[in-house]
Amino acid sequence: MKFMKLGSKPDSFQTDENNVWYVASDLATDIIINVGDAKFYLHKFPLLSKSARLQKLVANTNEGTGTGDQLNIPDIPGGPASFEICAKFCYGMTITLNAYNVVSVRCAAEYLEMHETMERGNLIYKIDVFLNSSIFRSWKDSIIVLQTTRSMMMLSEELKLVSRCIDAIASKVSVDVSKVDWSYTYNRNKLSEETNNHMLNGGIRSMTVPTDWWVEDLAELELDLFKRVIVNIKNKGLVHHEVIGEALKAFATRRVPGFNKGVIPSGDMTRARSVVDAIVGLLPSEKGSVSCGFLLKLLKMAVLVDLGETGKSKLVKKIGQQLEEASVHDLLIRANEGEGEPTMYDVKMVQKIVEEFMVRDHDPNGEFEVNGNEIQEARSTGGILTEASKLMVAKLVDSYLAEIAKDPNLPLSMFTDLAETVSSFSRPAHDGIYRAIDMYLKAHPGISKSERKKICRLMDCKKLSVEACMHAVQNERLPMRVVVQVLFFEQVRAAASSGSSTPDLPKAIKDLNSASHGSSRSTTTNTEEDWDTVATAEELRALRSELASLRLERNGGHAKSPLADHRTVNKVKRLLTTKRMLTKIWSSKGGTGENNGSDSSESHGCGNPDDVKLASTPSRRGRHSVS
């Protein structure tokens, strides 16, 4: 810390228990100055020779009363402590100025009008020299001085002490890190990094200085001063936006109680709202200035402190620009109970975020850069989404849906609306959305058949993994149409992997597949209600048993002959025809063709074994859950 000593005479100021100050001198005092609750017995000559204000006060008192031996100055900045230093300077006694007292003494000297017009080398001049030559050149002293201005902000503003401190701090922040001495910062706890990075050269430690070396120190400033410093830094345009983002993150963590935990202690609501509002306003416009996780923490705080819609909308937009970086935990934003939300989490907010992400795909002003013969997306605010970004967001939404599906109060419309927002994104597997659907069916057992049908249309059975298929075939919560679809497509996949010809889909399965993705069927049959019925345990056991026997044949290693294909088809057909609902499907319009005179081409089933060849699938042992 920098300091300056003035004067050469020994300090002869003394005080008693009653806060009375006097100068130990052979000369009798001739003036009493009352400063607050302190009383100073001093001599006129040394004081009046340097203070124009005291001269005026003494003159005015003499004109009114005839005695100028007592003055009252209760409003002097810094109170008795600052006046004591100014009085000692007038006597030529030794005083010490440092970052902690220089502002109060400078303001007191201004109040007493201790200018050069009274005497050359007066106190104001010497303090200004000290500020310019030492204080404003020191990083930590500049911060300390800026903090002390809050106690006398109005006069500090008039004297431009605040603006000069802020400019000095911003200038040091803007210096290239190669020219920064690590001793500038005094709060950063980076002991492990320092141990790895520093070297000893002749006893002098040198180390790599990080670009955000200053952020922890500025986090000590009060909100109004912090805002002004950050604005000044941004205006200089020499600090990268990501470093400014780090400063905002450090300040939020330091100044908002419970920021990382997503809670606010009682009594801190007003202060937290002010900090969150300020940080949102200071966020750099560039994409990636802060992490998506930090933005979502800010949004959670904004919901807790009931921040205005403008601030929330800004956060939603910025989060949407980099949603692919988020995690499921980040998206679990608690619903504001004050707004009467029935759900545990604010699903509508997440819906808006996903919609903001989608907007990027339709931005005609996206920026691109050419790399060889490839056009790559520029990491900018606008631009067309990459397939990788879409896939990451689709998986993120699937996982989020699985979490919120556990809420018994979650309406089906909220679930499906959010799922359909990313339904256009191509995904190699639909295991995530299947898991979310299963979670919802488990938490909402009372939903209607039509609602089960609607939610199951969100997934594509052809894109389920083997593990998901194993679970789906045993899932008693799924409608029978979905179980049969999964069973058939697994047969198709097994046939393809073994080199057999891929069987064509029977018309009934084609209709089911079409309906599962929201397409309207050309005709409506009397079996629709049966297909939407939830499979019974007996039916699922029968399906699993037949599936196991088919797998056993496949594992036997025998080549599939046409007769074997016929036998497989007949086994499945015998199984299905034993069920009431499946009999209506496979036997409608004439049954199997052999015992019926109807046109087999109109049948939902396969009258000719050559129409379909069902291959075997891996066996399932017990219940395998992926939910």
Side-chain angles (χ1 to χ4, degrees), residues 566-611:
H566 295 174
R567 187 167 58 251
T568 302
V569 173
N570 290 334
K571 284 184 178 181
V572 175
K573 286 171 62 178
R574 280 199 310 273
L575 170 66
L576 295 178
T577 52
T578 62
K579 307 294 181 244
R580 175 180 55 86
M581 64 185 69
L582 300 182
T583 300
K584 292 181 180 181
I585 292 297
W586 295 94
S587 301
S588 63
K589 300 184 181 180
T592 60
E594 182 181 7
N595 300 319
N596 195 302
S598 302
D599 186 357
S600 62
S601 64
E602 294 294 335
S603 174
H604 284 280
C606 299
N608 189 343
D610 292 332
D611 288 343

Side-chain angles (χ1 to χ4, degrees), residues 323 328 331 350 354 390-404 415 418-422 425 427 432-433 436:
L323 181 58
V328 177
L331 287 177
V350 175
V354 177
K390 292 180 181 180
L391 180 58
M392 285 189 286
V393 170
K395 290 183 176 179
L396 177 67
V397 172
D398 289 347
S399 299
Y400 176 77
L401 288 170
E403 290 297 322
I404 64 172
F415 184 97
L418 182 55
E420 288 171 353
T421 305
V422 296
F425 293 172
R427 284 171 283 189
I433 188 62

Side-chain angles (χ1 to χ4, degrees), residues 153-217:
M153 181 61 71
M154 186 174 296
L155 187 54
S156 296
E157 291 281 12
E158 292 179 5
L159 299 177
K160 300 188 183 305
L161 294 176
V162 177
S163 59
R164 290 163 68 191
C165 274
I166 290 174
D167 191 64
I169 293 171
S171 297
K172 288 176 176 59
V173 167
S174 302
V175 170
D176 188 278
V177 292
S178 62
K179 301 178 182 178
V180 174
D181 185 350
W182 182 243
S183 64
Y184 272 14
T185 183
Y186 58 102
N187 284 320
R188 193 67 173 266
N189 295 322
K190 295 176 69 67
L191 297 180
S192 59
E193 291 188 20
E194 290 176 6
T195 302
N196 294 331
N197 295 336
H198 81 271
M199 299 180 298
L200 291 176
N201 291 325
I204 300 176
R205 186 176 67 178
S206 63
M207 64 190 70
T208 302
V209 179
T211 56
D212 60 346
W213 60 268
W214 48 273
V215 301
E216 296 289 345
D217 293 341

Side-chain angles (χ1 to χ4, degrees), residues 423-438:
S423 61
S424 62
F425 293 172
S426 177
R427 284 171 283 189
H430 274 216
D431 288 15
I433 188 62
Y434 167 68
R435 178 173 180 269
I437 291 171
D438 186 46

Side-chain angles (χ1 to χ4, degrees), residues 232-412:
N232 194 307
I233 292 172
K234 292 172 70 174
N235 290 339
K236 289 183 181 297
L238 299 176
V239 177
H240 197 268
H241 56 84
E242 290 184 356
V243 183
I244 294 176
E246 281 297 317
L248 298 178
K249 181 179 178 181
F251 189 82
T253 303
R254 179 79 66 87
R255 293 295 179 176
V256 181
F259 181 81
N260 289 326
K261 297 180 180 180
V263 295
I264 299 178
S266 58
D268 294 329
M269 191 66 68
T270 302
R271 181 182 180 185
R273 183 185 298 112
S274 301
V275 174
V276 171
D277 187 43
I279 292 176
V280 172
L282 291 171
L283 287 172
S285 58
E286 295 85 355
K287 176 186 174 183
S289 302
V290 293
S291 67
C292 191
F294 174 70
L295 290 173
L296 282 161
K297 285 182 181 179
L298 268 182
L299 184 58
K300 290 178 181 179
M301 287 289 111
V303 173
L304 282 177
V305 303
D306 196 20
L307 194 65
E309 288 301 320
T310 302
K312 292 180 188 177
S313 298
K314 181 177 180 180
L315 287 173
V316 166
K317 184 173 183 179
K318 293 187 74 66
I319 294 169
Q321 292 175 358
Q322 50 196 95
L323 181 58
E324 61 270 29
E325 304 170 12
S327 68
V328 177
H329 177 74
D330 294 334
L331 287 177
L332 295 177
I333 304 169
R334 286 280 178 178
N336 193 336
E337 297 179 0
E339 297 179 359
E341 290 288 344
T343 57
M344 183 185 304
Y345 298 108
D346 197 337
V347 184
K348 294 179 181 177
M349 186 76 73
V350 175
Q351 177 82 26
K352 293 178 182 177
I353 293 173
V354 177
E355 289 172 354
E356 283 293 339
F357 176 80
M358 300 287 289
V359 167
R360 292 169 53 197
D361 204 27
H362 305 289
D363 186 357
N365 299 318
E367 298 179 14
F368 295 87
E369 57 185 13
V370 177
N371 182 9
N373 296 324
E374 299 179 359
I375 300 180
Q376 297 181 338
E377 179 189 13
R379 300 290 292 178
S380 61
T381 301
I384 298 177
L385 298 174
T386 63
E387 291 303 317
S389 296
K390 292 180 181 180
L391 180 58
M392 285 189 286
V393 170
K395 290 183 176 179
L396 177 67
V397 172
D398 289 347
S399 299
Y400 176 77
L401 288 170
E403 290 297 322
I404 64 172
K406 304 171 186 176
D407 184 359
N409 296 323
L410 179 68
L412 179 64

